[in-house]
Amino acid sequence: MKRCAGIKIFLMMCHVPGEIYEVPCAILLWKEDSRAYFVPVIDLPHTDLAFDFPHRHYHIDGRFEIHPRMVHRLQINDGHTAMILLTENSGLYDFKGIAKQKLKCIRIETGLAIPSCSEKYLDWYEGYVGQICKEKRCPHLGTGMLERDGKLVCPLHGLTADLKTLKIIMYDCP
């Protein structure tokens, strides 16, 4: 197990910018240009019934190099995006599966860009406040949490924990 600044991070592995890693990627056949693109994902397909979203999907792992066209189309900014990748075909692409690819790590942070402080999100989030992140894993789906600004943050849905107590703390609306 690798360590980075004394803390275990995402999937018990520290990704170092500039290094090459074998990572899971969604294979997307983009309808606009009929090309296949490999987009790195956090390998935990799920649905979000709490948000009335029953569609199986993956979250983009913005820590790794992504084709510039996909960065633009998927609106990825500093490794974060509000976009998710559906496993059933969308109007933009056909999802062809998951394959491992060797990609360069370009940053240590990634995650879902929470667009606003919606009441539904805040209600969902509050249900986790005070829960413990065992082994620095999110209590929601067990995803490894990333360290950011002295806190642990789940890259899937933004649950945030105190680094010392490992307890989920209240969400601060921007």
Short mmCIF file of all heavy atoms in Angstrom, two decimals, residues 39-93:
data_model
loop_
_atom_site.label_atom_id
_atom_site.label_comp_id
_atom_site.label_asym_id
_atom_site.label_seq_id
_atom_site.Cartn_x
_atom_site.Cartn_y
_atom_site.Cartn_z
N VAL A 39 -12.74 7.25 -20.98
CA VAL A 39 -12.87 8.26 -19.94
C VAL A 39 -12.68 7.58 -18.60
O VAL A 39 -13.43 6.66 -18.25
CB VAL A 39 -14.26 8.95 -20.02
CG1 VAL A 39 -14.42 9.96 -18.90
CG2 VAL A 39 -14.46 9.60 -21.38
N PRO A 40 -11.67 8.01 -17.81
CA PRO A 40 -11.43 7.38 -16.51
C PRO A 40 -12.63 7.56 -15.58
O PRO A 40 -13.24 8.63 -15.54
CB PRO A 40 -10.19 8.09 -15.98
CG PRO A 40 -10.08 9.34 -16.76
CD PRO A 40 -10.75 9.12 -18.06
N VAL A 41 -12.95 6.49 -14.86
CA VAL A 41 -14.10 6.53 -13.96
C VAL A 41 -13.73 5.97 -12.59
O VAL A 41 -12.78 5.21 -12.45
CB VAL A 41 -15.31 5.72 -14.51
CG1 VAL A 41 -15.85 6.37 -15.78
CG2 VAL A 41 -14.95 4.27 -14.74
N ILE A 42 -14.50 6.34 -11.60
CA ILE A 42 -14.42 5.72 -10.29
C ILE A 42 -15.25 4.45 -10.42
O ILE A 42 -16.44 4.51 -10.71
CB ILE A 42 -14.95 6.66 -9.20
CG1 ILE A 42 -14.06 7.91 -9.15
CG2 ILE A 42 -15.01 5.95 -7.85
CD1 ILE A 42 -14.59 9.04 -8.32
N ASP A 43 -14.60 3.32 -10.24
CA ASP A 43 -15.20 2.02 -10.58
C ASP A 43 -16.22 1.57 -9.54
O ASP A 43 -16.00 0.60 -8.81
CB ASP A 43 -14.11 0.97 -10.77
CG ASP A 43 -14.60 -0.24 -11.55
OD1 ASP A 43 -15.71 -0.17 -12.10
OD2 ASP A 43 -13.88 -1.24 -11.60
N LEU A 44 -17.32 2.30 -9.47
CA LEU A 44 -18.40 1.98 -8.55
C LEU A 44 -19.73 2.39 -9.20
O LEU A 44 -20.29 3.44 -8.89
CB LEU A 44 -18.21 2.71 -7.22
CG LEU A 44 -19.18 2.35 -6.11
CD1 LEU A 44 -19.02 0.89 -5.70
CD2 LEU A 44 -18.98 3.24 -4.92
N PRO A 45 -20.21 1.58 -10.15
CA PRO A 45 -21.49 1.94 -10.79
C PRO A 45 -22.61 1.87 -9.76
O PRO A 45 -22.62 0.99 -8.90
CB PRO A 45 -21.65 0.87 -11.87
CG PRO A 45 -20.85 -0.29 -11.38
CD PRO A 45 -19.71 0.28 -10.60
N HIS A 46 -23.52 2.83 -9.83
CA HIS A 46 -24.61 2.86 -8.85
C HIS A 46 -25.77 3.70 -9.38
O HIS A 46 -25.67 4.32 -10.43
CB HIS A 46 -24.12 3.43 -7.52
CG HIS A 46 -23.65 4.86 -7.61
ND1 HIS A 46 -22.42 5.22 -8.13
CD2 HIS A 46 -24.26 6.01 -7.25
CE1 HIS A 46 -22.30 6.51 -8.08
NE2 HIS A 46 -23.40 7.03 -7.57
N THR A 47 -26.87 3.67 -8.64
CA THR A 47 -28.00 4.56 -8.90
C THR A 47 -28.10 5.51 -7.71
O THR A 47 -27.49 5.27 -6.67
CB THR A 47 -29.31 3.75 -9.02
OG1 THR A 47 -29.54 3.07 -7.80
CG2 THR A 47 -29.24 2.75 -10.17
N ASP A 48 -28.84 6.58 -7.86
CA ASP A 48 -29.02 7.54 -6.78
C ASP A 48 -30.50 7.77 -6.54
O ASP A 48 -31.07 8.80 -6.90
CB ASP A 48 -28.31 8.86 -7.10
CG ASP A 48 -26.81 8.77 -6.94
OD1 ASP A 48 -26.37 8.21 -5.92
OD2 ASP A 48 -26.08 9.26 -7.82
N LEU A 49 -31.14 6.78 -5.94
CA LEU A 49 -32.58 6.87 -5.68
C LEU A 49 -32.91 8.01 -4.75
O LEU A 49 -33.99 8.60 -4.86
CB LEU A 49 -33.08 5.53 -5.13
CG LEU A 49 -32.88 4.33 -6.07
CD1 LEU A 49 -33.38 3.05 -5.41
CD2 LEU A 49 -33.58 4.56 -7.40
N ALA A 50 -32.00 8.36 -3.83
CA ALA A 50 -32.25 9.48 -2.91
C ALA A 50 -32.41 10.79 -3.67
O ALA A 50 -33.02 11.73 -3.16
CB ALA A 50 -31.11 9.59 -1.90
N PHE A 51 -31.88 10.85 -4.88
CA PHE A 51 -32.00 12.06 -5.71
C PHE A 51 -32.95 11.83 -6.87
O PHE A 51 -32.90 12.56 -7.88
CB PHE A 51 -30.62 12.47 -6.25
CG PHE A 51 -29.60 12.71 -5.17
CD1 PHE A 51 -28.50 11.89 -5.06
CD2 PHE A 51 -29.74 13.74 -4.26
CE1 PHE A 51 -27.56 12.08 -4.07
CE2 PHE A 51 -28.81 13.95 -3.26
CZ PHE A 51 -27.71 13.12 -3.17
N ASP A 52 -33.80 10.81 -6.75
CA ASP A 52 -34.75 10.46 -7.82
C ASP A 52 -34.03 10.18 -9.14
O ASP A 52 -34.51 10.54 -10.21
CB ASP A 52 -35.81 11.56 -8.02
CG ASP A 52 -36.67 11.76 -6.78
OD1 ASP A 52 -36.94 10.76 -6.08
OD2 ASP A 52 -37.06 12.91 -6.52
N PHE A 53 -32.87 9.53 -9.06
CA PHE A 53 -32.11 9.21 -10.25
C PHE A 53 -31.87 7.70 -10.28
O PHE A 53 -30.88 7.20 -9.74
CB PHE A 53 -30.78 9.98 -10.28
CG PHE A 53 -30.15 10.00 -11.63
CD1 PHE A 53 -30.63 10.84 -12.63
CD2 PHE A 53 -29.09 9.15 -11.93
CE1 PHE A 53 -30.05 10.84 -13.89
CE2 PHE A 53 -28.51 9.15 -13.19
CZ PHE A 53 -29.00 9.99 -14.17
N PRO A 54 -32.79 6.94 -10.90
CA PRO A 54 -32.70 5.48 -10.88
C PRO A 54 -31.76 4.88 -11.94
O PRO A 54 -31.66 3.67 -12.04
CB PRO A 54 -34.14 5.07 -11.17
CG PRO A 54 -34.66 6.14 -12.07
CD PRO A 54 -34.01 7.43 -11.56
N HIS A 55 -31.08 5.72 -12.69
CA HIS A 55 -30.24 5.24 -13.80
C HIS A 55 -28.85 4.87 -13.29
O HIS A 55 -28.19 5.64 -12.60
CB HIS A 55 -30.13 6.30 -14.89
CG HIS A 55 -31.46 6.82 -15.33
ND1 HIS A 55 -32.31 6.07 -16.12
CD2 HIS A 55 -32.10 7.98 -15.06
CE1 HIS A 55 -33.42 6.76 -16.33
NE2 HIS A 55 -33.32 7.91 -15.70
N ARG A 56 -28.41 3.68 -13.70
CA ARG A 56 -27.07 3.21 -13.32
C ARG A 56 -26.04 4.10 -14.02
O ARG A 56 -26.15 4.37 -15.22
CB ARG A 56 -26.94 1.75 -13.75
CG ARG A 56 -25.71 1.06 -13.30
CD ARG A 56 -25.84 -0.42 -13.68
NE ARG A 56 -24.57 -1.05 -13.82
CZ ARG A 56 -23.97 -1.72 -12.84
NH1 ARG A 56 -24.56 -1.86 -11.68
NH2 ARG A 56 -22.80 -2.28 -13.05
N HIS A 57 -25.02 4.53 -13.25
CA HIS A 57 -24.04 5.44 -13.81
C HIS A 57 -22.70 5.33 -13.08
O HIS A 57 -22.59 4.74 -12.02
CB HIS A 57 -24.54 6.89 -13.74
CG HIS A 57 -24.76 7.39 -12.35
ND1 HIS A 57 -25.91 7.12 -11.64
CD2 HIS A 57 -23.99 8.13 -11.52
CE1 HIS A 57 -25.84 7.68 -10.45
NE2 HIS A 57 -24.67 8.30 -10.35
N TYR A 58 -21.69 5.93 -13.70
CA TYR A 58 -20.34 6.06 -13.15
C TYR A 58 -20.03 7.53 -12.97
O TYR A 58 -20.54 8.37 -13.71
CB TYR A 58 -19.29 5.48 -14.10
CG TYR A 58 -19.26 3.99 -14.21
CD1 TYR A 58 -20.08 3.33 -15.12
CD2 TYR A 58 -18.40 3.23 -13.41
CE1 TYR A 58 -20.04 1.94 -15.23
CE2 TYR A 58 -18.36 1.85 -13.52
CZ TYR A 58 -19.18 1.21 -14.43
OH TYR A 58 -19.14 -0.15 -14.54
N HIS A 59 -19.12 7.82 -12.05
CA HIS A 59 -18.59 9.18 -11.90
C HIS A 59 -17.22 9.23 -12.57
O HIS A 59 -16.44 8.28 -12.52
CB HIS A 59 -18.47 9.56 -10.42
CG HIS A 59 -19.79 9.77 -9.78
ND1 HIS A 59 -20.31 11.02 -9.55
CD2 HIS A 59 -20.72 8.90 -9.33
CE1 HIS A 59 -21.50 10.90 -8.97
NE2 HIS A 59 -21.77 9.62 -8.84
N ILE A 60 -16.94 10.36 -13.19
CA ILE A 60 -15.68 10.57 -13.91
C ILE A 60 -14.56 10.80 -12.89
O ILE A 60 -14.73 11.51 -11.91
CB ILE A 60 -15.82 11.78 -14.85
CG1 ILE A 60 -16.89 11.48 -15.91
CG2 ILE A 60 -14.48 12.15 -15.49
CD1 ILE A 60 -17.37 12.70 -16.67
N ASP A 61 -13.41 10.17 -13.13
CA ASP A 61 -12.24 10.36 -12.28
C ASP A 61 -11.32 11.37 -12.98
O ASP A 61 -10.53 11.03 -13.85
CB ASP A 61 -11.51 9.03 -12.06
CG ASP A 61 -10.47 9.12 -10.96
OD1 ASP A 61 -10.05 10.25 -10.63
OD2 ASP A 61 -10.08 8.06 -10.45
N GLY A 62 -11.48 12.62 -12.60
CA GLY A 62 -10.76 13.71 -13.24
C GLY A 62 -9.31 13.86 -12.82
O GLY A 62 -8.67 14.85 -13.16
N ARG A 63 -8.76 12.87 -12.08
CA ARG A 63 -7.35 12.94 -11.71
C ARG A 63 -6.44 12.55 -12.86
O ARG A 63 -5.24 12.81 -12.82
CB ARG A 63 -7.06 12.01 -10.53
CG ARG A 63 -7.77 12.44 -9.25
CD ARG A 63 -7.54 11.44 -8.15
NE ARG A 63 -8.15 10.17 -8.52
CZ ARG A 63 -7.98 9.05 -7.83
NH1 ARG A 63 -7.22 9.03 -6.77
NH2 ARG A 63 -8.58 7.94 -8.21
N PHE A 64 -7.00 11.95 -13.91
CA PHE A 64 -6.19 11.40 -14.99
C PHE A 64 -6.42 12.14 -16.30
O PHE A 64 -7.44 12.79 -16.50
CB PHE A 64 -6.51 9.91 -15.16
CG PHE A 64 -6.18 9.13 -13.93
CD1 PHE A 64 -7.15 8.87 -12.98
CD2 PHE A 64 -4.88 8.70 -13.69
CE1 PHE A 64 -6.85 8.19 -11.81
CE2 PHE A 64 -4.57 8.02 -12.53
CZ PHE A 64 -5.54 7.77 -11.59
N GLU A 65 -5.43 12.00 -17.21
CA GLU A 65 -5.54 12.63 -18.52
C GLU A 65 -6.81 12.16 -19.22
O GLU A 65 -7.15 10.97 -19.20
CB GLU A 65 -4.35 12.26 -19.39
CG GLU A 65 -3.10 13.01 -19.05
CD GLU A 65 -1.97 12.71 -20.01
OE1 GLU A 65 -1.84 11.55 -20.46
OE2 GLU A 65 -1.20 13.64 -20.29
N ILE A 66 -7.48 13.11 -19.83
CA ILE A 66 -8.71 12.83 -20.58
C ILE A 66 -8.59 13.58 -21.91
O ILE A 66 -8.10 14.72 -21.94
CB ILE A 66 -9.96 13.31 -19.80
CG1 ILE A 66 -10.05 12.58 -18.45
CG2 ILE A 66 -11.23 13.10 -20.61
CD1 ILE A 66 -11.15 13.09 -17.53
N HIS A 67 -9.03 12.95 -22.97
CA HIS A 67 -8.96 13.58 -24.30
C HIS A 67 -9.58 14.99 -24.22
O HIS A 67 -10.66 15.16 -23.63
CB HIS A 67 -9.72 12.72 -25.31
CG HIS A 67 -9.50 13.14 -26.72
ND1 HIS A 67 -10.11 14.24 -27.27
CD2 HIS A 67 -8.72 12.60 -27.70
CE1 HIS A 67 -9.74 14.37 -28.53
NE2 HIS A 67 -8.90 13.37 -28.81
N PRO A 68 -8.92 16.00 -24.81
CA PRO A 68 -9.43 17.38 -24.74
C PRO A 68 -10.89 17.52 -25.19
O PRO A 68 -11.64 18.33 -24.62
CB PRO A 68 -8.49 18.16 -25.66
CG PRO A 68 -7.24 17.36 -25.68
CD PRO A 68 -7.66 15.92 -25.53
N ARG A 69 -11.30 16.76 -26.20
CA ARG A 69 -12.69 16.84 -26.65
C ARG A 69 -13.64 16.41 -25.53
O ARG A 69 -14.69 16.98 -25.33
CB ARG A 69 -12.90 15.99 -27.90
CG ARG A 69 -14.32 16.09 -28.45
CD ARG A 69 -14.45 15.48 -29.81
NE ARG A 69 -13.80 16.36 -30.76
CZ ARG A 69 -13.11 15.96 -31.82
NH1 ARG A 69 -12.98 14.69 -32.08
NH2 ARG A 69 -12.57 16.82 -32.63
N MET A 70 -13.24 15.38 -24.77
CA MET A 70 -14.09 14.90 -23.67
C MET A 70 -14.07 15.87 -22.50
O MET A 70 -15.09 16.07 -21.84
CB MET A 70 -13.65 13.50 -23.21
CG MET A 70 -13.91 12.41 -24.24
SD MET A 70 -15.68 12.19 -24.63
CE MET A 70 -15.85 13.16 -26.13
N VAL A 71 -12.92 16.50 -22.25
CA VAL A 71 -12.85 17.52 -21.19
C VAL A 71 -13.87 18.61 -21.49
O VAL A 71 -14.63 19.05 -20.61
CB VAL A 71 -11.42 18.11 -21.07
CG1 VAL A 71 -11.41 19.35 -20.17
CG2 VAL A 71 -10.45 17.06 -20.57
N HIS A 72 -13.93 19.03 -22.74
CA HIS A 72 -14.88 20.06 -23.16
C HIS A 72 -16.33 19.55 -23.09
O HIS A 72 -17.18 20.18 -22.49
CB HIS A 72 -14.54 20.54 -24.58
CG HIS A 72 -15.54 21.48 -25.15
ND1 HIS A 72 -15.66 22.78 -24.72
CD2 HIS A 72 -16.49 21.29 -26.10
CE1 HIS A 72 -16.64 23.36 -25.39
NE2 HIS A 72 -17.16 22.49 -26.23
N ARG A 73 -16.59 18.41 -23.72
CA ARG A 73 -17.96 17.88 -23.80
C ARG A 73 -18.53 17.50 -22.43
O ARG A 73 -19.71 17.65 -22.19
CB ARG A 73 -18.02 16.65 -24.71
CG ARG A 73 -17.70 16.93 -26.14
CD ARG A 73 -18.89 17.55 -26.84
NE ARG A 73 -18.66 17.63 -28.26
CZ ARG A 73 -18.50 18.78 -28.91
NH1 ARG A 73 -18.53 19.91 -28.28
NH2 ARG A 73 -18.30 18.77 -30.21
N LEU A 74 -17.67 17.00 -21.54
CA LEU A 74 -18.11 16.56 -20.22
C LEU A 74 -17.95 17.66 -19.16
O LEU A 74 -18.18 17.43 -17.98
CB LEU A 74 -17.37 15.29 -19.81
CG LEU A 74 -17.61 14.09 -20.74
CD1 LEU A 74 -16.68 12.94 -20.39
CD2 LEU A 74 -19.07 13.65 -20.71
N GLN A 75 -17.53 18.84 -19.61
CA GLN A 75 -17.42 20.02 -18.76
C GLN A 75 -16.59 19.75 -17.50
O GLN A 75 -17.02 20.00 -16.38
CB GLN A 75 -18.82 20.53 -18.40
CG GLN A 75 -19.65 20.86 -19.61
CD GLN A 75 -21.11 21.09 -19.29
OE1 GLN A 75 -21.48 21.33 -18.15
NE2 GLN A 75 -21.95 21.02 -20.30
N ILE A 76 -15.39 19.24 -17.72
CA ILE A 76 -14.49 18.94 -16.62
C ILE A 76 -13.61 20.15 -16.35
O ILE A 76 -12.96 20.67 -17.26
CB ILE A 76 -13.63 17.69 -16.95
CG1 ILE A 76 -14.56 16.50 -17.20
CG2 ILE A 76 -12.64 17.41 -15.83
CD1 ILE A 76 -13.88 15.30 -17.81
N ASN A 77 -13.61 20.61 -15.12
CA ASN A 77 -12.84 21.78 -14.73
C ASN A 77 -12.04 21.44 -13.47
O ASN A 77 -12.63 21.14 -12.44
CB ASN A 77 -13.79 22.96 -14.47
CG ASN A 77 -13.04 24.24 -14.19
OD1 ASN A 77 -11.85 24.35 -14.45
ND2 ASN A 77 -13.75 25.21 -13.65
N ASP A 78 -10.73 21.47 -13.57
CA ASP A 78 -9.84 21.12 -12.45
C ASP A 78 -10.19 19.76 -11.85
O ASP A 78 -10.17 19.58 -10.63
CB ASP A 78 -9.87 22.20 -11.37
CG ASP A 78 -9.21 23.49 -11.82
OD1 ASP A 78 -8.26 23.41 -12.63
OD2 ASP A 78 -9.63 24.56 -11.38
N GLY A 79 -10.55 18.81 -12.70
CA GLY A 79 -10.84 17.46 -12.25
C GLY A 79 -12.25 17.24 -11.75
O GLY A 79 -12.62 16.13 -11.40
N HIS A 80 -13.07 18.29 -11.71
CA HIS A 80 -14.45 18.19 -11.22
C HIS A 80 -15.45 18.41 -12.35
O HIS A 80 -15.19 19.17 -13.27
CB HIS A 80 -14.68 19.22 -10.11
CG HIS A 80 -13.86 18.96 -8.90
ND1 HIS A 80 -12.53 19.33 -8.81
CD2 HIS A 80 -14.16 18.34 -7.74
CE1 HIS A 80 -12.06 18.96 -7.64
NE2 HIS A 80 -13.02 18.36 -6.97
N THR A 81 -16.58 17.74 -12.25
CA THR A 81 -17.64 17.90 -13.25
C THR A 81 -18.99 17.58 -12.62
O THR A 81 -19.07 16.81 -11.66
CB THR A 81 -17.40 16.98 -14.47
OG1 THR A 81 -18.47 17.18 -15.40
CG2 THR A 81 -17.35 15.51 -14.08
N ALA A 82 -20.03 18.17 -13.15
CA ALA A 82 -21.39 17.83 -12.72
C ALA A 82 -21.95 16.71 -13.58
O ALA A 82 -23.05 16.22 -13.34
CB ALA A 82 -22.29 19.07 -12.80
N MET A 83 -21.18 16.28 -14.58
CA MET A 83 -21.64 15.23 -15.49
C MET A 83 -21.35 13.85 -14.90
O MET A 83 -20.38 13.67 -14.18
CB MET A 83 -20.92 15.34 -16.83
CG MET A 83 -21.08 16.68 -17.53
SD MET A 83 -22.70 16.92 -18.23
CE MET A 83 -22.54 15.96 -19.71
N ILE A 84 -22.20 12.89 -15.26
CA ILE A 84 -21.99 11.49 -14.91
C ILE A 84 -22.12 10.70 -16.21
O ILE A 84 -22.60 11.22 -17.22
CB ILE A 84 -23.00 11.00 -13.84
CG1 ILE A 84 -24.43 11.42 -14.19
CG2 ILE A 84 -22.65 11.56 -12.48
CD1 ILE A 84 -25.27 10.30 -14.60
N LEU A 85 -21.66 9.45 -16.19
CA LEU A 85 -21.73 8.62 -17.39
C LEU A 85 -22.74 7.51 -17.20
O LEU A 85 -22.58 6.65 -16.34
CB LEU A 85 -20.35 8.04 -17.70
CG LEU A 85 -19.25 9.07 -17.95
CD1 LEU A 85 -17.91 8.39 -18.16
CD2 LEU A 85 -19.60 9.96 -19.14
N LEU A 86 -23.79 7.56 -18.01
CA LEU A 86 -24.85 6.56 -17.94
C LEU A 86 -24.39 5.26 -18.60
O LEU A 86 -23.70 5.29 -19.61
CB LEU A 86 -26.10 7.06 -18.66
CG LEU A 86 -26.75 8.32 -18.09
CD1 LEU A 86 -27.84 8.81 -19.03
CD2 LEU A 86 -27.30 8.05 -16.70
N THR A 87 -24.81 4.13 -18.01
CA THR A 87 -24.44 2.85 -18.60
C THR A 87 -25.39 2.46 -19.72
O THR A 87 -25.05 1.61 -20.54
CB THR A 87 -24.40 1.73 -17.54
OG1 THR A 87 -25.68 1.64 -16.92
CG2 THR A 87 -23.34 2.00 -16.50
N GLU A 88 -26.58 3.05 -19.74
CA GLU A 88 -27.44 2.83 -20.90
C GLU A 88 -27.13 3.96 -21.88
O GLU A 88 -26.61 5.00 -21.49
CB GLU A 88 -28.92 2.79 -20.53
CG GLU A 88 -29.46 4.08 -19.97
CD GLU A 88 -29.79 3.99 -18.49
OE1 GLU A 88 -29.42 3.03 -17.83
OE2 GLU A 88 -30.43 4.92 -18.01
N ASN A 89 -27.40 3.76 -23.10
CA ASN A 89 -27.00 4.71 -24.12
C ASN A 89 -27.74 6.03 -23.98
O ASN A 89 -28.92 6.08 -23.66
CB ASN A 89 -27.20 4.10 -25.50
CG ASN A 89 -26.33 2.86 -25.68
OD1 ASN A 89 -25.29 2.74 -25.04
ND2 ASN A 89 -26.75 1.95 -26.52
N SER A 90 -27.00 7.09 -24.20
CA SER A 90 -27.56 8.44 -24.10
C SER A 90 -27.69 9.02 -25.50
O SER A 90 -27.34 8.38 -26.48
CB SER A 90 -26.64 9.31 -23.24
OG SER A 90 -25.54 9.76 -24.01
N GLY A 91 -28.15 10.23 -25.59
CA GLY A 91 -28.26 10.89 -26.89
C GLY A 91 -26.90 11.31 -27.43
O GLY A 91 -26.75 11.58 -28.61
N LEU A 92 -25.88 11.37 -26.55
CA LEU A 92 -24.56 11.83 -26.95
C LEU A 92 -23.60 10.69 -27.30
O LEU A 92 -22.73 10.84 -28.15
CB LEU A 92 -23.92 12.65 -25.83
CG LEU A 92 -24.65 13.94 -25.44
CD1 LEU A 92 -24.00 14.57 -24.23
CD2 LEU A 92 -24.68 14.89 -26.62
N TYR A 93 -23.74 9.56 -26.62
CA TYR A 93 -22.79 8.47 -26.78
C TYR A 93 -23.45 7.13 -26.53
O TYR A 93 -24.52 7.04 -25.94
CB TYR A 93 -21.60 8.63 -25.82
CG TYR A 93 -22.02 8.67 -24.36
CD1 TYR A 93 -22.24 7.49 -23.65
CD2 TYR A 93 -22.21 9.87 -23.70
CE1 TYR A 93 -22.65 7.52 -22.32
CE2 TYR A 93 -22.61 9.91 -22.38
CZ TYR A 93 -22.82 8.73 -21.70
OH TYR A 93 -23.23 8.75 -20.39
#
